Structure formats: C-alpha cells, structure tokens
Amino acid sequence: MRKTLKRLMRGFLGILFIFAALYLQSFHPENKPDFAALPDHDYISEIRQLLSERRYGEAKTLCEDVRNAALPCAAEAAELSLAAERESKKTWNRIYKAGRAFITGEPDDSIEEVGGSIISDMVIYGDIRDLVKQGWFKISGKETDPLISSLAAIGLATELVDAADWIPAALKAMRKAGAITEKMADSLQMMCKKIIKKRKLDKSAKIFFADAGKMLDSSGFIRSKNMFSYVNNADELALLAKHSKENPALTHLVVKRTGRESIEALKKYPPEYLRAIARKGRIAIRTIKIFHKNRNLLDCIPEKYIRLAAAGFSLAGILLLVSAILPFIMFFRRDHGEVNSSSSVK
C-alpha cells in the first residue's frame, strides 16, 4: 500500500512538472518598458530660451548633444547652433567677456568668460585676487567661501598638484558658478587642507583630480559644470567621468533631464534605457520605475534561463511519470500473464 502511494505521488509530481514546463515554454517575458508612446522632450524650446538669455555657450553645447545623440530634432538644433555660433563669435563681445572674467574672476556660462577666469588663475593673478577678495569679505562682514580660498591656496602651489595644476582653477570656476554641492565642497575643502598640510597629494586626491580632469577633457567645461552640480562624493565623480569618456553627449543629456536621479540611472540602466531618458526626459525614468515595480519574478530572469528551466522540468516530469507508471504496467503484465497461464493449464 505504501509503495502504491509513493508511486501515485511521483506520478502527481510528474504531471505538475510537465504543466510547469508547458507554462514556462509559453512564457514570453517583456524585457523592456514601452518608450514609444512617451512624448519627446522639447529641446528646441530649451535651446531658444538659452539663446534669448544670451547663454550662447550653453545653447551651442546643447545643440551639439542633440545632434550627437541623433534625436529627431537634430536638424533644427543644427540651425540654432549656427545662430549661437554667430552671436558668440562677435569679436568685441568675445574680447569683452574674456577680459571681464580675467579681471573679476566671475565667469558666466560662455567659453570666453570661463577661459578668461581659468587663465587668470593659472598665471597666479587669479589666485591672489580671490584670496584678497575673500579676505576683504571676511573683514567687511560679508559671506566668505572657504572652498574658494582653499582652491586659491592650492593654485598658488601648482607644483603640489603634479600634472593637474589647472584642475583647481576649473573647480574654482565651477564653485563660482554654483556647480559644487555643499556636501562635495566640504569634502573638497578637507582634501585641500590635507594637501597644504602634507605638501603633497595623497592617493585619494590624485584619483579625484584625475577623474575631474578626465571629465573636463572629454566633456568640456559647460557639460562638466552641469554634471558636477549633482556630485556629492568622489565615487559619483568617478562614475560620471567614466560615462563622460564613453559618451559625453548622452551622459550630459541624461544628467540634465534627471538631475540627482541620473547617478542611480547611470549605475543601473543599460545604454538603451539611457538613450530613452535622454530623448524623453524624466517621464522615461518614471516609466522604467513603474515597469520594474510591476514585473513579476519571471520578468527578471533572462529568457534563456527560463527555457533551460522548462527543459529541466520536462525531463524531470517525464522521468517521474515513467517511474510511477512503469511498476503498474509491469504488475499488470505479470498478473495478466499469470491469468493466461492458469487458463492454458485448465
């Protein structure tokens, strides 16, 4: 009796396994969210707004990113890029901007003013100017910025920064443009104090300056400034530097569209998702999150593993059924054979 129950149980399990295999074989996981129905972000209006504010450097950079990302509005962006180029190349305008930033150390988003500010820092004048300004602010009771003072002090000792002697000047320009978070500023200030105290760069400082230089080299100042606005620590800077080197336009667009969420997006999402985010904007992030929230366990498993599991269940189910049915067949044949034998004897 016990053997019969075990055989029946094996047969029942075999049937369950076969049904499970059939379900898995009919399952087709949805491996990506549907972005097609989402509206595109209006980059053209954004570029026109930058032009109206005379932020020609920002406008040109955004046009380049739209074209490099091959977005649908790339042709119109190319025309607007020419308009931005014409305005920014007016001789007197460029000379005025570069000279003003060199003297005051307060650059806007134009390449001319950023360049003038950084050049002034690299010829010592800028660092002395900023130290004097911060000292005057302190004496007169105005708000000071310790990070500007620390970076200026580092800039005066360029031999301490090895090959990255221009990075403090660029970071100072970013800070003046409001592109360094308070959390990052605190960390950077502590780093500067260590450099000044030890009169050399430690390992973490070398890595930080190298990542900052990598991002600036691949993305340029405007993109780097926009992305740096969301950096809170050295690890996040390393992540942005890595993606910027691979694809500066796409990385910049993702950061512009999603802000702080871009750090998580760059860590977790494949290039296809990032391209959708760059094209569609924040609504794409919401779509991705809803999609992942509503996925079941099988959606998260690659299809090849689902097919492999289906084959395993099929094989196990068949073996269990055979092991359950075979003894009954053997018993029936033996019993039937004995009946036939007894009949023939009679």
Side-chain angles (χ1 to χ4, degrees), residues 101-166:
F102 185 94
I103 295 169
T104 65
E106 301 294 338
D108 62 9
D109 290 325
S110 68
I111 296 299
E112 293 77 19
E113 293 214 6
V114 169
S117 178
I118 291 176
I119 289 171
S120 71
D121 289 325
M122 293 187 68
V123 295
I124 300 180
Y125 161 76
D127 292 319
I128 295 173
R129 173 202 62 215
D130 288 331
L131 285 172
V132 170
K133 283 175 69 174
Q134 292 300 315
W136 170 251
F137 290 160
K138 189 169 185 179
I139 292 171
S140 59
K142 295 181 180 179
E143 185 178 357
T144 60
D145 191 334
L147 180 58
I148 296 292
S149 300
S150 297
L151 289 170
I154 292 293
L156 288 172
T158 53
E159 69 275 10
L160 299 179
V161 194
D162 301 330
D165 58 348
W166 61 278

Side-chain angles (χ1 to χ4, degrees), residues 7-19:
R7 289 166 188 163
L8 290 172
M9 183 61 70
R10 284 202 298 271
F12 179 69
L13 285 175
I15 292 170
L16 283 181
F17 276 24
I18 288 172
F19 273 112

Side-chain angles (χ1 to χ4, degrees), residues 10 13-22 24-25 306-324:
R10 284 202 298 271
L13 285 175
I15 292 170
L16 283 181
F17 276 24
I18 288 172
F19 273 112
L22 290 172
L24 290 174
Q25 285 176 347
I306 292 177
R307 301 291 171 245
L308 187 62
F313 277 122
S314 296
L315 180 60
I318 291 169
L319 290 175
L320 284 168
L321 274 177
V322 169
S323 69

Side-chain angles (χ1 to χ4, degrees), residues 4-214:
T4 302
L5 286 173
K6 285 183 177 179
R7 289 166 188 163
L8 290 172
M9 183 61 70
R10 284 202 298 271
F12 179 69
L13 285 175
I15 292 170
L16 283 181
F17 276 24
I18 288 172
F19 273 112
L22 290 172
Y23 172 74
L24 290 174
Q25 285 176 347
S26 65
F27 184 79
H28 298 284
E30 296 294 333
N31 290 322
K32 55 187 178 182
D34 181 19
F35 296 115
L38 302 178
D40 289 350
H41 176 76
D42 189 358
Y43 280 103
I44 299 305
S45 293
E46 186 176 350
I47 294 167
R48 291 185 188 281
Q49 179 65 29
L50 291 171
L51 289 173
S52 69
E53 295 171 0
R54 298 186 179 182
R55 296 163 63 184
Y56 303 122
E58 286 265 19
K60 264 182 65 180
T61 300
L62 189 53
C63 289
E64 289 170 5
D65 290 347
V66 167
R67 292 166 61 194
N68 290 336
L71 298 184
C73 57
E76 195 169 353
E79 295 178 6
L80 292 174
S81 179
L82 293 175
E85 183 76 17
R86 283 194 301 271
E87 290 298 323
S88 65
K89 275 192 171 181
K90 289 181 179 177
T91 305
W92 172 247
N93 186 46
R94 299 186 74 174
I95 294 173
Y96 168 77
K97 280 178 169 288
R100 190 188 78 83
F102 185 94
I103 295 169
T104 65
E106 301 294 338
D108 62 9
D109 290 325
S110 68
I111 296 299
E112 293 77 19
E113 293 214 6
V114 169
S117 178
I118 291 176
I119 289 171
S120 71
D121 289 325
M122 293 187 68
V123 295
I124 300 180
Y125 161 76
D127 292 319
I128 295 173
R129 173 202 62 215
D130 288 331
L131 285 172
V132 170
K133 283 175 69 174
Q134 292 300 315
W136 170 251
F137 290 160
K138 189 169 185 179
I139 292 171
S140 59
K142 295 181 180 179
E143 185 178 357
T144 60
D145 191 334
L147 180 58
I148 296 292
S149 300
S150 297
L151 289 170
I154 292 293
L156 288 172
T158 53
E159 69 275 10
L160 299 179
V161 194
D162 301 330
D165 58 348
W166 61 278
I167 301 297
L171 291 173
K172 205 197 301 184
M174 286 186 187
R175 179 62 170 175
K176 291 174 182 178
I180 296 182
T181 65
E182 291 306 315
K183 192 172 182 179
M184 186 71 253
D186 292 340
S187 177
L188 188 51
Q189 191 178 345
M190 288 178 61
M191 186 189 300
C192 290
K193 287 180 178 178
K194 285 183 182 178
I195 294 172
I196 294 168
K197 183 178 180 180
K198 295 181 179 180
R199 300 191 64 78
K200 65 177 182 179
L201 291 173
D202 59 16
K203 184 178 179 181
S204 61
K206 285 180 180 178
I207 293 172
F208 181 87
F209 280 115
D211 286 334
K214 190 190 302 181

Side-chain angles (χ1 to χ4, degrees), residues 209-239:
F209 280 115
D211 286 334
K214 190 190 302 181
M215 186 164 74
L216 283 158
D217 281 338
S218 58
S219 299
F221 181 84
I222 290 175
R223 291 187 188 91
S224 297
K225 172 188 71 72
N226 291 338
M227 293 188 287
F228 219 99
S229 300
Y230 304 102
V231 172
N232 281 332
N233 54 59
D235 290 339
E236 293 179 355
L237 174 62
L239 176 73

